[in-house]
Amino acid sequence: MSTLTGTKKTADAATTGRDRGPLRGMAWLVWRRNRAAFLLLAAVTVVVCAYCLYHRAGVLDFVARYGNDARYAEKFDEAYKPVFDRLFALSGLPALLAVFLGAPLISGEQEHGTVRLATTQSVTRTRWIAVTVALPMLVVLVCTTLVSLAFTALWSPASRLVNYGDWLGGTIFDITGPVPVATALFLTSCGIALGLLVRRVVPAMLLTLVAAFGTSIAWSYLRTRLATPHSLTGPASGDYPDIPDGAINFDQWLGTADGRLLGYGTCVDAKNEAACYADHGIVHKIVEYFSLDQMAGMQWRGAGLLLVLTVLFVAFIVQWTRRRPL
């Protein structure tokens, strides 16, 4: 009862817009109900940005002394592995936002019944859901953008040194550029939608966690399909061609004279490798790789796909809220 009374007071305050500050009306109400999560996210953002900027000077000094050269990756790893290992935890930030901010956003009000009180005020249901969804998404957008910019600024000067230059393996690709922003917006909207359907906080959080896990698996499959790998061809009698510095070796093949591709292990167990090559008609060794300059394009394609899905989720939330009882 006290919860309903308190909510009625805040709802009345929202509709009259009598509170001080930059926010008014529904925006102030949404901020007040979620301010603990917003402030915690803002604090994490400040800490991460400060941490990245603090260590960036040391990374720049290392690069100025040795260069962004893969030959010094082991030396760099000895000095900065703990720093980047801590920051790699940022890959879990989108899932945390979805579980602890997105999932309870509407399901919490449905579970406690306060959503009925909020929607009986003078504001329309469309305006209520628009502000309820838009403000948290805006906070997520701003904070994850700042975090991504800070980590990218730390990683970029030493792109061939961090994690031994492996930018495609998962963590670095997922927490630089537009990817963490798009992933956070997508998972948060997914959490809001699941909460709207489930109408209970804990089940919504669990389902959102499962959805985030499924998304990570699907994303791992999609990541290497966001661009066509380059290829280099060399004679079968020699070694596989060397790929450019900073590139990621994607796959290796054995090529026949008629254009067929065979697995690189085709003749591994043969007693006479040359005879095995001759029997299969193998004349080439082919290596496929992703170059570092493909990274940005791959990230923007993946982020674009996630943002389209985010728009679809938000449209679903708005339509469901307008047409069905809450």
Side-chain angles (χ1 to χ4, degrees):
M1 183 64 184
S2 59
T3 301
L4 292 175
T5 304
T7 303
K8 186 176 188 308
K9 290 179 179 179
T10 54
D12 290 343
T15 56
T16 55
R18 65 192 180 194
D19 294 88
R20 297 177 180 179
L23 298 177
R24 292 288 188 276
M26 282 302 305
W28 172 84
L29 180 60
V30 174
W31 170 268
R32 183 178 176 84
R33 293 185 64 82
N34 300 280
R35 59 184 173 182
F38 292 160
L39 293 176
L40 179 60
L41 178 57
V44 170
T45 302
V46 171
V47 170
V48 170
C49 291
Y51 189 76
C52 290
L53 293 178
Y54 173 78
H55 287 287
R56 189 170 187 270
V59 170
L60 290 177
D61 287 343
F62 187 98
V63 173
R65 185 173 182 181
Y66 298 102
N68 186 15
D69 192 320
R71 292 177 299 170
Y72 300 101
E74 185 174 355
K75 190 177 186 65
F76 182 85
D77 196 58
E78 293 173 356
Y80 289 99
K81 186 176 187 302
V83 173
F84 282 91
D85 280 350
R86 295 187 188 101
L87 291 171
F88 287 164
L90 293 173
S91 61
L93 182 60
L96 292 176
L97 292 172
V99 172
F100 294 101
L101 178 62
L105 189 66
I106 298 177
S107 62
E109 295 203 41
Q110 289 174 312
E111 185 171 281
H112 294 97
T114 54
V115 66
R116 297 179 181 176
L117 194 60
T119 54
T120 55
Q121 304 303 310
S122 58
V123 296
T124 64
R125 183 175 290 196
T126 301
R127 182 185 170 194
W128 172 78
I129 191 61
V131 178
T132 299
V133 173
L135 185 58
M137 296 290 276
L138 178 62
V139 173
V140 169
L141 172 66
V142 172
C143 291
T144 53
T145 298
L146 292 175
V147 168
S148 176
L149 289 174
F151 181 81
T152 302
L154 178 65
W155 166 80
S156 295
S159 59
R160 298 174 182 175
L161 302 170
V162 180
N163 205 24
Y164 290 86
D166 183 7
W167 50 266
L168 187 59
T171 307
I172 293 175
F173 189 89
D174 293 348
I175 60 178
T176 54
V179 176
V181 182
T183 306
L185 291 174
F186 166 70
L187 289 179
T188 302
S189 65
C190 178
I192 297 172
L194 288 173
L196 181 65
L197 296 175
V198 176
R199 306 171 70 90
R200 294 290 184 273
V201 174
V202 174
M205 294 173 73
L206 291 175
L207 285 175
T208 302
L209 184 61
V210 172
F213 180 70
T215 300
S216 69
I217 295 176
W219 182 253
S220 298
Y221 173 81
L222 179 66
R223 189 184 299 120
T224 55
R225 288 162 177 78
L226 294 170
T228 302
H230 299 303
S231 64
L232 289 173
T233 302
S237 57
D239 295 328
Y240 281 95
D242 293 329
I243 61 176
D245 192 19
I248 303 297
N249 190 328
F250 177 60
D251 209 343
Q252 293 177 335
W253 302 91
L254 296 172
T256 64
D258 58 0
R260 290 181 296 120
L261 295 179
L262 305 177
Y264 71 92
T266 300
C267 294
V268 169
D269 296 328
K271 293 181 180 179
N272 188 328
E273 188 177 72
C276 181
Y277 282 2
D279 290 342
H280 288 85
I282 296 171
V283 295
H284 296 303
K285 284 184 175 176
I286 303 167
V287 59
E288 292 182 333
Y289 66 94
F290 290 104
S291 58
L292 184 58
D293 58 7
Q294 288 182 284
M295 180 180 180
M298 295 168 71
Q299 287 184 315
W300 279 107
R301 290 187 195 96
L305 176 61
L306 292 174
L307 291 175
V308 169
L309 294 175
T310 301
V311 171
L312 293 177
F313 267 120
V314 172
F316 166 77
I317 293 167
V318 173
Q319 289 300 317
W320 183 279
T321 305
R322 291 179 58 189
R323 298 182 178 183
R324 294 177 180 270
L326 295 172

